[in-house]
Amino acid sequence: MILKLRRPDDFHVHLRDGEMLRQVAQYTASQFARALVMPNVPPIDTGPQAERLRNEILQHVSPASFTPLMTIRLTEKSMPETIHEAKRCGVVAAKVYPQGVTTGSHGGLTIDQLQQMGAVFAAMQDVGMILCWHGEFPGPGWLQAEQRMLPEIRKVVDDFPRLRQVLEHISTREGVEWVRRCPDMVAGTITVHHLFLTLDDLGGRGKFGRGGMLQPHYFYAPIAKDDSDRQALAEAAIEPSGKFFLGTDSAPHPIDRKFNVDAGCCAAGVFSAPVAMAALASKFEELNALDRLEGFTSAHGARFYGLPLNEGSIVLEKQAWVVPETVAGMVPFLAGEELSWRVAGIDNV
Ligand code: NCD
Ligand code: ZN
Ligand code: ZN
């Protein structure tokens, strides 16, 4: 069986820089026509920095078949002029990282600082730049961090009704329902891994877990929640409203940042780019919703971002394969697991 979809977009990816970028960019570019490149590692706080990273990315992928969409991080130093300059440099979105909640967020914003950002949000609203949220409350209460952040975001939704905003990598039923209740200017991205895993898998006691042992490569932010949350995300991913779309949040880390015996700690992030579209086809088939996959990957996000739909297609084929244990020297998402679909190729016309 063959499934031909309009070429998809990934509205949340970490491509990194330097050697890591060189290694990982091809996995995104071989499936996605465009990807929204996150600004945390390396830190990208201005338009010129985003331009430099875009040029570096384009040394590794063909600009004819892949377009990186650039973002900047909002910091306490961001000013309305930062937004105007970024807009002139072609930046499409700016991202809030609450302080200390994820990889590269030590320079992120406290709730107090967030409340001082009104002029910046107003500038974004004026120039039509999208505001992306890592939606976790900074502070204690890890498992409730997403729910606790929603009222903070809602204040910005109410104060800036023409500002388009995205709740990134939704991880809870409450997050899904909150996006549904918000005006049309608010959307949410859903990752591949949040559709597959629950906290049990991270703890080595779920379907994908192994022998009660902690699974570092299933550790990411926001952390996997329970099965009811996972089901709510699946329902959102297949709904035709246009409010939910794919952002893989593929976030590669060198292996010694995931399994470092000396440091005794593990970075948050899952390298899902190598399996993204194959895993999604397998999941949507399981959900009896293969006909909804194209909306999720290739239409809803582009429409929300005001971009034309991609030309060309990606061809998926129903053929079982086992995800390799390592890709580019890292452990990819679902390593060692069997997937029922694979990417057969790209048709650029
Ligand atoms: C991301 C990373 O490694 O950059 N990690 C993650 O677990 N999602 C950061 C992020 O998106 O929060
Ligand atoms: Zn994040
Ligand atoms: Zn991310």
Side-chain angles (χ1 to χ4, degrees), residues 165-185:
Q165 306 187 43
V166 182
L167 178 62
E168 298 294 335
H169 44 46
I170 311 172
S171 68
T172 61
R173 180 173 286 277
E174 288 86 346
V176 166
E177 286 167 0
W178 179 88
V179 170
R180 286 200 186 110
R181 279 197 309 275
C182 276
D184 284 350
M185 300 305 269

Side-chain angles (χ1 to χ4, degrees), residues 12 14 95 97 102 134 168-169 221-222 249:
H12 183 138
H14 301 267
K95 178 97 188 256
Y97 287 97
T102 188
H134 179 110
E168 298 294 335
H169 44 46
D249 194 18

Side-chain angles (χ1 to χ4, degrees), residues 256-276:
D256 69 347
R257 297 261 306 150
K258 292 298 278 181
F259 305 90
N260 190 317
V261 178
D262 296 330
C265 47
C266 162
V270 48
F271 180 35
S272 59
V275 303

Side-chain angles (χ1 to χ4, degrees), residues 16 26 33 150 200 217 220 237 254 307 320 344:
R16 315 305 193 197
Q26 58 181 303
L150 300 174
D200 286 340
H217 45 283
Y220 46 78
L307 297 167

